Amino acid sequence: MTPAQPPEGARSLAPASARHALWRHLSEPSLVRRGTWSTLLVFLLIWIALLGYLYAENRQYLAEAPGLKQFGDALLVALDEMPDPAHARAVMAATERWTAIRRTQDKRLGGVVLYELRDSHDRRVFASEGWPWTATAAASEAPGASATDWAELYWRYDRTSAHWRLQILNPRRTGSAFLRYNAGFILPYLLVAFPFVLLAVWLTVRASLRPLQQLARHIEERPSDDLNAVGVPARYRELKPLVQALDALLSRLRGTVQRERAFVQDAAHEIRTPLAVINAQAHVLAHAQNPAERALAERQLNQAIARTSHLARQLLELAALDHAGPRSATRVDVAHWLRALLGPAAQTAMREGRELSLDAPDALSCRIDLGALESIVQNLVDNALRHGVPGSMVAVDLCDIEGQLLLEVRDDGPGIAASQREHVFERFHRGTEPRASGAGLGLAIARQAALRLDGSVEIIDGLQGRGVGFRVRLPRAGDQQTP
């Protein structure tokens, strides 16, 4: 039986998929690859540093030219032992040939060394082919090369002994030629050493990353709902900041989850009561026997609906503050804005026999997040009016002190007991007052909104020795320069 062959399209897709996976693997950032490139860069820097060092050392050596002086002095001593011009000429010819052969064999050396030998009467005994008439010949005497050119192209040796005057012109080695030769001379040694160093770096990086990989596997194997500390002892100093940061993050997440669970439980508990009232009053309203009973049930039903609506609004407002994104600051005249915001509340207070006053400057411009500021003002004022009685007073003060917005809301109502003041900003805290209404979220919302503005809320004394007050401080640093 002939085995089934895969479709032609499937055969063509397999290599393409493999190439794509290989390319994705190679293009993915890798610490090992990064270490390899870093090692290569280090070798390149070492190569450049060695070239620079050798170049500087060579420049210092050439500035003194001790080799040419030693060679010339030795040759001159040897010539002094043979005053015969023929013998001296033979020695110079042999020296010239030996020098030419030596420079041909050594790739570092270039050009031809030129010699001239004169006797004590300044008669020329020997001169290399191409030797200028003098070491500083004019351009007319040495066509194509001026005196300055000879000085730049050659090192010059010129000494006189008892019988002879010896001059040597040794070609100068240019910096570019020196660098070209030594760059090629050093590079093979670095290339030979590179694989061994790279292997050592690879083994080091691999061994160094092993504890990190073990930590990653440990975290990956944890249940998705496990927010406890990592629980891995950080033996290595470099891992301690990572483990500590993970533990701190998990701790914050645990706190957030616990607060959200508590918030959901409290919200469900709080909303259960008004819903039960709505259900009961709707039943009473449906079965009411007379208009008075029906009117009472309708009034209580509306109150329960209003309370539920108020609670839902506060829950949404608090959730929005808890998960708010970046602040959106707007330049506004806060004094004018606050007058417009408190206008409807003042009219409502007058209808209920209460007084709501505002003491603010004529104009107070700044940049601020109006949504958060509105949450502060509305919840503090609503809290003061809700707990007041007919004839009571609520005073709102706004001013600018030392670059801060200072907002105070005070009343002359029943106040808050000293034992309860440290708990008033907790969510769903109503206190011990029998007349207390609401869900206990207003002050928590005000504090959360103030924190969002990098401000604070504190309790102060109320009006005329009664009631309670709240002081809000909000920073205004730098907003005056914003157009």
Side-chain angles (χ1 to χ4, degrees):
M1 179 181 294
T2 303
Q5 298 292 330
E8 182 178 354
R11 290 198 303 270
S12 62
L13 288 176
S17 176
R19 288 194 302 270
H20 180 70
L22 178 61
W23 170 250
R24 186 170 63 250
H25 174 74
L26 293 177
S27 61
E28 184 181 10
S30 167
L31 290 177
V32 174
R33 191 181 304 118
R34 182 175 181 179
T36 303
W37 284 110
S38 300
T39 305
L40 184 60
L41 178 61
V42 168
F43 266 75
L44 178 62
L45 294 177
I46 292 175
W47 182 54
I48 294 174
L50 287 175
L51 280 178
Y53 172 76
L54 292 175
Y55 180 78
E57 190 179 52
N58 182 68
R59 294 288 295 181
Q60 183 178 2
Y61 176 83
L62 292 179
E64 302 174 357
L68 179 59
K69 293 178 182 178
Q70 294 171 1
F71 174 74
D73 290 344
L75 180 57
L76 193 58
V77 170
L79 289 172
D80 260 348
E81 296 179 357
M82 49 187 75
D84 184 7
H87 291 169
R89 187 179 300 109
V91 170
M92 292 299 301
T95 301
E96 183 182 41
R97 287 195 299 274
W98 175 83
T99 305
I101 294 172
R102 180 72 183 89
R103 297 183 74 86
T104 302
Q105 293 173 344
D106 193 341
K107 296 181 180 179
R108 295 175 299 173
L109 305 176
V112 178
V113 180
L114 303 178
Y115 298 90
E116 185 192 53
L117 182 66
R118 292 176 179 268
D119 60 16
S120 57
H121 300 289
D122 201 30
R123 292 179 298 217
R124 178 180 287 179
V125 176
F126 178 85
S128 299
E129 183 180 356
W131 178 268
W133 294 109
T134 64
T136 57
S140 59
E141 296 174 310
S146 66
T148 304
D149 292 335
W150 286 108
E152 291 179 352
L153 295 176
Y154 290 90
W155 294 103
R156 182 186 178 194
Y157 175 86
D158 187 355
R159 292 287 176 88
T160 302
S161 66
H163 300 287
W164 310 106
R165 179 190 177 190
L166 176 64
Q167 295 187 75
I168 305 174
L169 295 180
N170 187 37
R172 287 179 181 266
R173 192 178 184 189
T174 63
S176 59
F178 176 85
L179 291 176
R180 282 196 303 271
Y181 173 79
N182 284 279
F185 178 77
I186 297 173
L187 187 59
Y189 295 95
L190 293 179
L191 292 178
V192 170
F194 180 74
F196 299 98
V197 176
L198 182 61
L199 178 62
V201 170
W202 182 79
L203 292 175
T204 303
V205 172
R206 186 177 180 86
S208 300
L209 291 179
R210 187 174 296 115
L212 186 61
Q213 294 170 346
Q214 293 173 352
L215 176 62
R217 285 195 298 269
H218 177 80
I219 295 176
E220 187 178 5
E221 293 170 357
R222 289 160 58 100
S224 58
D225 58 347
D226 185 1
L227 296 179
N228 293 317
V230 175
V232 175
R235 296 174 50 196
Y236 302 97
R237 179 175 27 181
E238 292 77 9
L239 280 182
K240 288 182 180 178
L242 176 60
V243 174
Q244 291 172 356
L246 287 173
D247 287 343
L249 174 62
L250 292 173
S251 177
R252 292 195 298 270
L253 288 176
R254 284 198 307 273
T256 301
V257 171
Q258 290 172 0
R259 286 193 299 271
E260 289 185 351
R261 286 176 179 173
F263 178 77
V264 171
Q265 292 173 357
D266 291 339
H269 175 74
E270 291 296 330
I271 207 169
R272 186 184 299 121
T273 299
L275 288 178
V277 172
I278 291 174
N279 183 46
Q281 297 304 321
H283 180 77
V284 172
L285 182 62
H287 298 85
Q289 301 297 325
N290 53 68
E293 186 178 351
R294 184 178 296 105
L296 177 61
E298 184 177 356
R299 184 170 61 254
Q300 293 180 346
L301 178 62
N302 289 334
Q303 291 176 352
I305 293 175
R307 180 183 176 187
T308 305
S309 176
H310 178 72
L311 175 61
R313 181 184 65 79
Q314 285 189 318
L315 290 174
L316 291 174
E317 188 175 0
L318 192 57
L321 289 172
D322 284 339
H323 300 88
R327 288 178 295 182
S328 177
T330 304
R331 174 162 289 281
V332 65
D333 185 341
V334 180
H336 178 75
W337 173 84
L338 188 57
R339 292 188 188 95
L341 180 68
L342 294 180
Q347 295 178 2
T348 302
M350 290 178 60
R351 287 195 299 268
E352 297 177 354
R354 305 174 191 178
E355 180 181 352
L356 174 61
S357 65
L358 172 63
D359 183 9
D362 294 336
L364 182 54
S365 177
C366 70
R367 288 179 60 86
I368 199 165
D369 187 339
L370 285 180
L373 182 60
E374 183 176 354
S375 295
I376 296 173
V377 174
Q378 285 188 340
N379 281 283
L380 291 180
V381 172
D382 180 73
N383 183 75
L385 293 175
R386 183 182 296 274
H387 294 85
V389 295
S392 62
M393 179 178 179
V394 176
V396 180
D397 297 318
L398 176 68
C399 61
D400 180 9
I401 298 180
E402 298 179 354
Q404 286 187 329
L405 278 181
L406 191 64
L407 175 69
E408 293 183 353
V409 179
R410 297 177 295 163
D411 62 61
D412 57 357
I416 300 175
S419 61
Q420 297 294 319
R421 288 196 171 190
E422 61 181 21
H423 302 291
V424 294
F425 294 109
E426 297 176 1
R427 300 180 181 186
F428 301 104
H429 178 79
R430 293 196 186 90
T432 57
E433 182 192 354
R435 297 177 59 257
S437 60
L441 290 175
L443 296 180
I445 293 174
R447 183 184 64 172
Q448 189 69 16
L451 292 176
R452 174 170 170 75
L453 297 177
D454 298 327
S456 62
V457 183
E458 59 180 329
I459 300 178
I460 59 176
D461 295 332
L463 298 172
Q464 302 175 0
R466 299 194 305 272
V468 70
F470 296 91
R471 177 178 293 147
V472 182
R473 298 180 185 271
L474 302 175
R476 295 185 58 202
D479 64 345
Q480 290 86 350
Q481 288 78 19
T482 304

